[in-house]
Amino acid sequence: MSGSRELAPELERLVTARLPQARGIEGLRRLSGGASQETWSFDALTGADPIPLILRRRPGGLSGPSESGMALELPTEAKLLELAAKLGVPVPEVRLVLSPDDGLGSGYVMQRLLGETIPRRILRDDAFAEARPKLARQCGEILARIHAAPADALPELPVAAAPEQIAQYRALYDAYDHPHPVFDLALRWLEDRAREPERIAWVHGDFRNGNLLVDADGVRGVLDWELSHRGDPMEDLGWICVNSWRFGAIDHPVGGFGSREELFAGYEAAGGGAVDPERVRYWEVLGTLKWGIMCMTMYAIYKSGGDTSVERAAIGRRSSETEIDLLELLEA
Amino acid sequence: MYDPPSAAELVAAVRAFLEEHAMPALEGRAAFHARVASNALGIVERQLRLSPEHEASELGRLRELLGRDGTLEELNRELCRRIRSGELSLETPGLGSHLRATTLAKLAVDQPRYSGYRRARERG
């Protein structure tokens, strides 16, 4: 892990060389990070207003272990952001991509958008009272645009529809060797109903409240593209409905802010095609199970010494929330 | 036999320290982690209080459902095996209600404020 004192002069050199208006940088601070990946906020100083920016990088250049094993290389993420922008999806603008010669590892610099990403604030603050009723429909429209990406416009991405993901998560669950009868029930249900998707499309993979930047007009940016893959587009419509991502607002299935009807109407209006609600429900079940097994993964990382924070340890106790959600879905 | 304070009292004392003294003095990431730590102690406090009753009930239901005896871990593994093989499913009388009762007991310890838990309790 690096400190801002080491990074600042290197980053300043890079930014002033590659961004025409930039004369220096200030305000460099680390936003978050795991052991291998870093996210930094800073401003580029110009003759006029400073430019708010974000640096995402992997100092070592190579990818490290990730929670799902499917996280993308950062230069690929940058390409996806550029493609998303071309498709009319609201995303931060990529300003530069690191090359190995820059000596900063792999990664990219993008625009830092103004808005809110904390789910409970999006759901409760007065600032978003007018935006909230529009969000579910906007999410549907945005997903239709992502799913419409032509296959030949995409960089190399892993392919994972339902059969692959069920097998992957069953293998993880078995490896952890802790009995969850409700997970076994859900896995049987999913395997018994597994079908190949109607079509293969670009799937965001983590499209949910928590990864959306919202302002007074609605969705201003879609973030966290690192789990992008090719697969069943209904996956994205199901994931945003998983109860954990409603942040307490259980009666608003889409992100805690809207209805499935609004989501599907936005999707269809933006050219996404007719939505099969049963197929979306299937992905809500699979998404709920995945999140439950991801909680087991986070505990396993804690246990192996990979991350010793109390937060990492305690998330293991969140898998029970997915068990009640699965029982409700399977018994309905 | 151990002397007072009880394990529960020790947990409560540490939790009170976190809430009243540590958290107000911390900022940013450390304050967030102190909140997570306090919540984790809440789980420990509820588990200490509720687990004897929960485990006894779960064991009774598992013995009846599976028609055999064993430890909680052994019987849970057996239950998983029979669900995986298809021998037991939601069509099996008693499985759904057992899983629901067990899950609600877990949530009463892990996260009694979870929306899914509260909704399931309201419905009865």
Side-chain angles (χ1 to χ4, degrees):
Chain A
M1 181 154 101
S2 54
S4 59
R5 252 179 297 125
E6 295 135 337
L7 177 61
E10 305 272 318
L11 183 59
E12 184 162 71
R13 209 171 20 84
L14 176 74
V15 166
T16 52
R18 300 269 291 276
L19 295 186
Q21 327 93 298
R23 301 175 181 185
I25 70 171
E26 70 174 5
L28 182 65
R29 63 188 179 96
R30 184 143 183 205
L31 291 185
S32 71
S36 56
Q37 209 179 104
E38 301 173 359
T39 304
W40 296 83
S41 167
F42 66 100
D43 288 349
L45 300 168
T46 72
D49 292 330
I51 307 173
L53 295 167
I54 295 273
L55 165 70
R56 271 173 73 70
R57 74 164 188 150
R58 221 166 252 137
L62 303 164
S63 44
S66 72
E67 272 140 28
S68 71
M70 281 197 342
L72 301 173
E73 297 293 345
L74 292 176
T76 307
E77 253 181 63
K79 287 201 186 103
L80 290 175
L81 283 172
E82 288 167 338
L83 175 61
K86 286 201 188 87
L87 295 168
V89 174
V91 284
E93 185 191 335
V94 174
R95 299 303 305 269
L96 68 89
V97 181
L98 300 182
S99 80
D101 299 336
D102 294 326
L104 286 172
S106 80
Y108 59 92
V109 172
M110 64 179 171
Q111 178 191 17
R112 188 171 81 245
L113 296 175
L114 283 181
E116 184 58 73
T117 56
I118 294 176
R120 288 179 201 273
R121 290 191 191 158
I122 292 168
L123 296 181
R124 289 187 201 156
D125 284 5
D126 287 338
F128 310 112
E130 283 191 27
R132 268 190 293 273
K134 306 180 197 168
L135 294 176
R137 190 183 170 97
Q138 285 179 353
C139 286
E141 292 165 353
I142 290 167
L143 284 173
R145 293 189 194 116
I146 296 170
H147 299 163
D152 56 14
L154 292 168
E156 191 70 38
L157 287 179
V159 179
E164 291 88 357
Q165 295 195 30
I166 292 168
Q168 177 193 356
Y169 279 85
R170 195 185 250 299
L172 275 173
Y173 168 52
D174 285 348
Y176 300 139
D177 197 33
H178 178 81
H180 278 271
V182 175
F183 289 173
D184 280 285
L185 198 68
L187 282 163
R188 279 295 316 225
W189 189 93
L190 290 162
E191 285 162 354
D192 289 346
R193 289 156 187 75
R195 327 195 286 259
E196 290 302 325
E198 299 285 316
R199 60 182 173 120
I200 294 278
W202 179 19
V203 173
H204 178 284
D206 199 6
F207 191 94
R208 60 177 177 86
N209 192 357
N211 289 333
L212 300 174
L213 191 131
V214 171
D215 65 16
D217 298 320
V219 180
R220 175 68 188 84
V222 178
L223 309 175
D224 285 315
W225 293 80
E226 60 192 58
L227 297 180
S228 276
H229 53 281
R230 293 171 61 223
D232 185 344
M234 298 298 100
E235 173 180 347
D236 279 335
L237 293 170
W239 184 244
I240 194 173
C241 296
V242 168
N243 190 31
S244 297
W245 312 140
R246 302 178 201 174
F247 294 91
I250 192 169
D251 294 318
H252 290 112
V254 179
F257 43 68
S259 71
R260 293 186 183 91
E261 290 70 33
E262 288 165 346
L263 179 72
F264 300 165
Y267 192 78
E268 291 173 15
V275 176
D276 177 0
E278 276 309 301
R279 193 74 195 148
V280 175
R281 194 161 172 281
Y282 180 92
W283 276 102
E284 189 179 330
V285 174
L286 179 45
T288 307
L289 175 69
K290 283 167 62 178
W291 171 233
I293 296 174
M294 284 180 205
C295 292
M296 298 178 83
T297 298
M298 292 196 225
Y299 165 70
I301 291 172
Y302 166 81
K303 191 171 171 193
S304 72
D307 177 340
T308 53
S309 70
V310 59
E311 182 190 9
R312 190 67 52 156
I315 290 188
R317 286 291 184 118
R318 289 192 63 183
S319 53
S320 47
E321 74 194 43
T322 66
E323 290 178 327
I324 192 63
D325 293 335
L326 285 167
L327 286 172
E328 288 292 333
L329 284 164
L330 299 182
E331 290 180 334
Chain B
M1 177 172 167
Y2 302 99
D3 301 325
S6 66
E9 284 174 317
L10 284 169
V11 168
V14 175
R15 202 173 180 201
F17 162 75
L18 277 173
E19 302 255 343
E20 290 160 31
H21 299 286
M23 277 163 58
L26 292 168
E27 285 173 1
R29 205 85 192 128
F32 169 73
H33 279 127
R35 164 58 62 203
V36 174
S38 174
N39 290 342
L41 289 177
I43 294 175
V44 176
E45 183 275 318
R46 290 186 297 270
Q47 183 165 327
L48 287 171
R49 184 164 38 90
L50 297 171
S51 73
E53 176 201 324
H54 284 171
E55 291 186 344
S57 302
E58 187 182 347
L59 200 55
R61 288 194 302 273
L62 282 165
R63 283 181 184 134
E64 173 138 0
L65 201 53
L66 299 174
R68 51 158 284 198
D69 205 346
T71 64
L72 260 185
E73 171 145 357
E74 284 165 353
L75 294 182
N76 269 294
R77 287 180 185 281
E78 175 66 14
L79 179 59
C80 287
R81 200 190 58 72
R82 293 196 202 180
I83 292 171
R84 182 175 291 214
S85 73
E87 188 182 332
L88 297 178
S89 73
L90 283 176
E91 318 278 290
T92 311
L95 179 66
S97 56
H98 163 71
L99 292 177
R100 182 167 285 266
T102 307
T103 302
L104 293 179
K106 269 201 218 184
L107 281 162
V109 167
D110 294 341
Q111 266 195 90
R113 289 160 63 189
Y114 183 60
S115 67
Y117 172 72
R118 289 170 148 173
R119 180 56 54 89
R121 289 288 307 269
E122 278 163 25
R123 286 191 181 148

